């Protein structure tokens, strides 16, 4: 399954779709909550500690059921693993394993968790400062957080390009433009260009599917912020469908249908629109299916099965842990016109592939 967390609410789905985590509660009474998504129906397990969590804490589920939490503690960024203990009576219900912390030195540094690693075991964080960006491995190491890549420029985003957790795409701001680059964590953080659509354009990678190579891109190369798509390793240009134009500046793709090897045009794509609504689309379609989002939809997130079933998490007073499933409608065939004039060919926009070494 393929999923991507959207930074609208603290809700994150594991890369394999097995678990999810969020900060539940309100105001000063927040606590981590783990969702189990496998089995006949989802269920939630609260993971409270003696003190409530701050609203800016981040949570991320691992494949073994533990939940990583990132807290800001004074001038440090602390990381720990939380897990249910199954204790009875008045004993603690939540176990905690401290992993260590980062203490920024000399410059203002913003630290955020990256999306769940594809292997489900490790976890990574992005520390962005004025002089550059560092990728830290904060879980899955024997001696606490360790740096795995140092990148010139200020980076944001974060999209995994493979199933092993080796190739990470970041949006790097350097020399006045934002360009997506590929960072090879298996080669000491070697950086390669990934998107070079136009010399002065801002080209960001929003989502990628390793099975088909489908890339979802936002760029101002066409003259305005537009949503586009391309294929990793393909010589064909990035395309900016007209049906996505109205929402290209604000829509966020959050899930791609996996398992469509060699068929990127057939992949279903789920989009959270700027007004919070939901839309479904395929690259081969000439239209976007706009749908009403479920009440209590959590963070504009979801996961898509290889069978084409989109599952959306939601929580309401009546259903505190729910999943709504839906299927992408079939697109109607285009109308046949005997006097139709062929559409002009799109302006070539090259897509540069990062070396997969």
């Amino acid at each position: 399954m393929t999923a991507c967390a959207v930074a609208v609410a603290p809700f994150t789905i594991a890369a394999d779709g097995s678990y999810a985590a969020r900060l539940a509660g309100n105001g000063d009474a927040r606590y981590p909550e783990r969702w189990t998504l496998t089995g006949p129906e989802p269920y939630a397990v609260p993971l409270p500690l003696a003190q409530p969590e701050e609203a800016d804490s981040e949570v991320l589920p691992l494949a073994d059921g533990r939940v990583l939490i990132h807290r800001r503690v004074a001038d440090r960024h602390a990381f720990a693993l939380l897990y249910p203990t199954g204790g009875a009576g008045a004993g603690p219900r939540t176990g905690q394993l401290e992993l260590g912390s980062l203490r920024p030195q000399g410059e203002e540094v913003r630290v955020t968790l990256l999306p769940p690693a594809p292997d489900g075991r490790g976890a990574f964080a992005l520390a962005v400062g004025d002089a550059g960006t560092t990728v830290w491995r904060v879980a899955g190491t024997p001696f606490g957080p360790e740096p795995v890549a140092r990148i010139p420029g200020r980076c944001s985003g974060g999209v995994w390009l493979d199933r092993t957790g080796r190739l990470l795409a970041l949006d790097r701001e350097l020399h006045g433009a934002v360009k997506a680059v590929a960072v090879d964590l298996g080669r000491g953080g070697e950086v390669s260009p990934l998107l070079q659509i136009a010399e002065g354009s801002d080209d960001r990678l929003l989502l990628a599917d390793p099975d088909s190579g489908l890339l979802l891109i936002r760029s101002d190369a066409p003259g305005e912020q537009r949503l586009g798509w391309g294929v990793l390793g393909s010589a064909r240009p990035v395309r900016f469908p007209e049906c996505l134009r109205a929402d290209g500046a604000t829509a966020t793709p959050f899930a791609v249908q996996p398992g469509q090897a060699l068929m990127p045009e057939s992949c279903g794509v789920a989009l959270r629109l700027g007004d919070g609504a939901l839309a479904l689309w395929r690259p081969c379609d000439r239209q976007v299916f706009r749908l009403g989002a479920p009440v209590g939809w959590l963070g504009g997130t979801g996961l898509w099965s290889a069978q084409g079933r989109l599952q959306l998490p939601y929580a309401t007073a009546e259903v505190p842990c729910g999943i709504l499933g839906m299927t992408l409608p079939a697109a109607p065939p285009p109308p046949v016109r005997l006097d139709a004039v062929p559409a002009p060919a799109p302006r070539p926009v090259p897509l540069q592939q990062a070396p997969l070494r």
Side-chain angles (χ1 to χ4, degrees):
M1 296 181 178
T2 298
C4 178
V6 180
V8 174
F11 190 91
T12 309
I13 303 174
D16 65 353
S18 56
Y19 294 98
R22 68 163 178 156
L23 279 183
N26 296 293
D28 296 331
R30 295 180 181 270
Y31 59 90
E33 183 180 76
R34 187 196 71 187
W35 288 32
T36 300
L37 302 179
T38 55
E41 62 183 37
Y43 64 92
V45 175
L47 297 173
L49 291 170
Q51 293 183 339
E53 304 292 345
E54 298 291 337
D56 61 352
S57 297
E58 295 181 291
V59 291
L60 184 148
L62 302 185
D64 61 7
R66 294 182 295 178
V67 173
L68 175 75
I69 185 166
H70 164 218
R71 304 180 178 104
R72 182 70 180 263
V73 182
D75 61 345
R76 297 182 297 112
H77 294 268
F79 302 89
L81 289 174
L82 307 178
Y83 52 92
T85 62
R93 293 181 296 164
T94 304
Q96 179 172 225
L97 175 63
E98 301 285 351
L99 298 178
S101 62
L102 306 179
R103 190 186 299 272
Q105 298 288 335
E107 60 175 327
E108 181 181 357
V109 174
R110 178 174 55 88
V111 178
T112 57
L113 291 178
L114 286 167
D119 62 9
R121 299 187 299 272
F124 297 82
L126 201 64
V128 185
D130 294 334
T133 300
T134 303
V135 178
W136 289 81
R137 187 179 180 103
V138 297
T141 65
F143 305 111
E146 63 178 19
V148 293
R150 178 70 175 173
I151 305 143
R154 299 178 63 87
C155 295
S156 60
V159 176
W160 295 101
L161 298 176
D162 63 354
R163 295 289 185 192
T164 66
R166 173 174 171 171
L167 290 176
L168 173 68
L170 296 172
D171 300 327
R172 179 173 67 171
E173 182 182 354
L174 191 65
H175 306 311
V178 178
K179 302 288 184 183
V181 296
V183 182
D184 191 335
L185 302 183
R187 296 176 64 91
E190 181 179 281
V191 178
S192 302
L194 182 62
L195 294 178
Q196 298 281 358
I197 299 180
E199 183 176 353
S201 62
D202 290 338
D203 310 321
R204 293 177 169 86
L205 180 63
L206 305 180
L207 200 57
D209 176 56
D211 294 337
S212 64
L214 178 65
L215 305 179
L216 279 303
I217 297 154
R218 178 175 288 119
S219 174
D220 59 5
E224 60 182 336
Q225 290 287 346
R226 296 276 297 272
L227 276 180
W229 68 279
V231 180
L232 187 65
S234 172
R236 301 183 66 182
V238 173
R239 278 154 281 185
F240 297 91
E242 190 65 25
C243 63
L244 295 176
R245 186 170 188 174
D247 301 301
T250 59
T252 302
F254 63 86
V256 176
Q257 181 182 356
Q260 306 298 300
L262 305 179
M263 296 189 299
E265 295 89 350
S266 300
C267 290
V269 178
L271 303 154
R272 183 183 62 84
L273 303 181
D275 58 2
L278 169 70
L280 305 180
W281 168 76
R282 275 180 297 248
C284 62
D285 292 341
R286 297 184 179 179
Q287 67 180 92
V288 175
F289 298 95
R290 300 173 184 271
L291 306 171
V295 176
W297 185 24
L298 292 174
T301 58
L303 58 90
W304 213 318
S305 71
Q307 294 72 35
R309 190 74 173 168
L310 178 64
Q311 301 178 44
L312 303 174
Y314 68 96
T316 64
E318 296 77 19
V319 184
C321 177
I323 295 290
L324 175 67
M326 61 177 59
T327 303
L328 182 63
V336 177
R337 293 182 55 188
L338 298 180
D339 58 345
V341 178
R347 180 171 62 88
V349 185
L351 173 65
Q352 181 167 343
Q353 178 194 12
L356 302 180
R357 295 183 293 177

